[in-house]
Amino acid sequence: MRDYNTIIESGEFVFKTIRRHKRPTGHPGTAQAKPLVSQSLQQQNRVAHWRDTSSNGKEAGASGPPAILSQTHYEYLPKLKKIYEDMMTNQFPQHNKFVPTPGQKEIMTKIKSKHLPFKEIKKIINMKGRDLLWRYTLKALPKIYNKPCQQCGENETSEHIFFNCKAHNKNTQEIFNHILTKCGHATQTWDVKILNHLQIPLIANLIAILFEKIWHKRNKLNHDEIVLTIHKEQIIQELIKTQRAAWERTQSIISKTLRIKSKKRSEEQNKLDSLISQKLLQFSRQWNSPLHSITLPKHLKIYNNSLSSLYK
């Protein structure tokens, strides 16, 4: 058996020295770290770099940069979003224009409008109804095409589900007119033309709630084989709930305005007071009705005497 010295001399065993990788020069926390570049030197480098990369029509190295540049030249470049918009505009000039599909053109023809009411639908507070109205307008409802309606047996189209199905059409029409009358509005026919009446938030959310109830009734029968009936009390309760949600949003905006007002001068405070009064008046005209009215809190009565008297 060979001893340890023989093995070492033969070279069969080699000690491996582990090299410690030094941190790069200038890295904080090492003895070899160089002092950081001074502020003035950084500013000089920025000025020199600005002269070399300037794109203001002057030659490189021309005089005229600011004495101290607080920003690097990268911050003068256009934003990434702007770059992509320019690229899309160059390759596809009409990329930001809405081109309706044949189904969407059919809706536009029936409501006798040159555009679809996307802006009005976007302002609806009832989320499920808003989503259904959006999908209906885009002709993107999750359903099987060319399938008979399980409620009445007719061909199930998007328009048939919400407006023409005999299983709920008469009941929906009665509920719609009953609530419109209670809210002080004229009665309307429940058909696709109601998409022209989404400007008033109270009516728009009422339509959205009815859409949600009709869709829920249809799905319960299709998936669970349960027959449901839409009741006007449920619709009124949902509408009042939506009205309170709208009032909470308005209160949040007013509270933020009041906090800003406390830090402003008297002239600016008068403008903010006028803004608060306009917000209260706008809410009252859009949401308050004989059916249900939001009572004005005491701390806001200096801006408007009573909300409930302004709905007419």
Side-chain angles (χ1 to χ4, degrees):
M1 184 175 180
R2 294 183 297 173
D3 59 357
Y4 177 76
N5 294 329
T6 306
I7 297 174
I8 295 299
E9 291 174 359
S10 64
E12 297 178 11
F13 184 86
V14 181
F15 287 104
K16 294 182 179 180
T17 57
I18 301 175
R19 295 183 179 179
R20 295 182 180 179
H21 297 282
K22 295 181 180 181
R23 295 179 180 177
T25 305
H27 192 284
T30 61
Q32 296 84 7
K34 294 181 179 180
L36 297 176
V37 182
S38 63
Q39 183 96 16
S40 60
L41 185 57
Q42 287 183 1
Q43 294 169 357
Q44 292 175 9
N45 292 338
R46 289 176 182 174
V47 172
H49 193 62
W50 180 86
R51 285 173 176 170
D52 294 336
T53 60
S54 176
S55 59
N56 59 356
K58 297 182 180 180
E59 296 180 359
S63 60
I68 297 177
L69 289 178
S70 60
Q71 296 176 330
T72 62
H73 91 287
Y74 297 104
E75 297 180 1
Y76 293 103
L77 295 175
K79 300 296 182 182
L80 186 61
K81 182 178 179 181
K82 176 64 176 173
I83 294 173
Y84 278 114
E85 286 181 356
D86 293 341
M87 290 172 60
M88 290 293 294
T89 303
N90 290 334
Q91 296 184 12
F92 309 101
Q94 296 184 350
H95 74 94
N96 56 351
K97 294 183 179 180
F98 173 68
V99 180
T101 63
Q104 294 166 359
K105 289 180 180 179
E106 183 182 352
I107 295 178
M108 294 166 63
T109 302
K110 290 182 178 180
I111 64 177
K112 298 180 180 180
S113 176
K114 295 182 180 180
H115 61 86
L116 294 172
F118 292 126
K119 293 182 179 180
E120 291 81 3
I121 293 174
K122 187 178 180 181
K123 298 177 182 179
I124 292 175
I125 295 176
N126 186 277
M127 297 180 65
K128 292 182 179 179
R130 178 184 62 194
D131 181 64
L132 281 170
L133 272 169
W134 192 273
R135 286 177 176 269
Y136 175 83
T137 309
L138 288 174
K139 304 293 286 186
L141 285 170
K143 68 181 188 65
I144 301 175
Y145 294 92
N146 298 325
K147 181 182 178 181
C149 176
Q150 294 191 16
Q151 300 183 86
C152 66
E154 296 182 8
N155 185 27
E156 188 183 57
T157 62
S158 299
E159 185 176 353
H160 172 83
I161 292 173
F162 295 104
F163 300 111
N164 300 332
C165 184
K166 297 177 182 179
H168 69 80
N169 189 20
K170 184 178 179 181
N171 184 35
T172 305
Q173 181 70 70
E174 292 177 356
I175 294 173
F176 187 51
N177 286 338
H178 172 78
I179 297 177
L180 286 177
T181 304
K182 287 288 185 180
C183 293
H185 295 280
T187 59
Q188 299 173 14
T189 304
W190 179 257
D191 57 16
V192 69
K193 293 180 181 179
I194 62 170
L195 296 178
N196 290 324
H197 302 281
L198 299 177
Q199 294 81 9
I200 302 176
L202 184 67
I203 298 178
N205 281 271
L206 172 59
I207 295 170
I209 292 169
L210 286 170
F211 259 62
E212 191 271 326
K213 294 299 180 183
I214 293 170
W215 186 253
H216 179 67
K217 171 183 169 61
R218 177 242 184 205
N219 288 344
K220 272 293 181 180
L221 180 61
N222 287 359
H223 302 296
D224 300 332
E225 297 182 354
I226 298 175
V227 179
L228 296 178
T229 304
I230 303 174
H231 299 284
K232 60 184 177 182
E233 290 79 10
Q234 296 176 346
I235 307 299
I236 292 173
Q237 186 178 2
E238 285 290 331
L239 187 60
I240 293 174
K241 183 179 178 181
T242 306
Q243 182 189 25
R244 288 171 178 166
W247 172 242
E248 288 178 1
R249 291 187 182 186
T250 304
Q251 272 191 313
S252 177
I253 296 172
I254 291 174
S255 298
K256 184 177 180 180
T257 307
L258 289 174
R259 288 195 298 270
I260 297 173
K261 174 188 171 183
S262 61
K263 302 177 183 178
K264 299 294 182 180
R265 299 177 181 177
S266 58
E267 296 179 357
E268 296 177 347
Q269 287 182 356
N270 293 333
K271 294 181 180 179
L272 293 176
D273 290 343
S274 176
L275 179 63
I276 293 172
S277 299
Q278 291 177 5
K279 276 289 180 184
L280 292 173
L281 183 62
Q282 181 183 12
F283 173 84
S284 182
R285 288 177 174 174
Q286 292 179 350
W287 287 97
N288 278 347
S289 68
L291 178 67
H292 185 265
S293 297
I294 298 294
T295 305
L296 188 68
K298 292 182 179 179
H299 70 283
L300 295 178
K301 286 188 175 180
I302 58 174
Y303 305 102
N304 209 315
N305 291 331
S306 175
L307 277 177
S308 59
S309 62
L310 295 173
Y311 55 78
K312 291 185 179 180

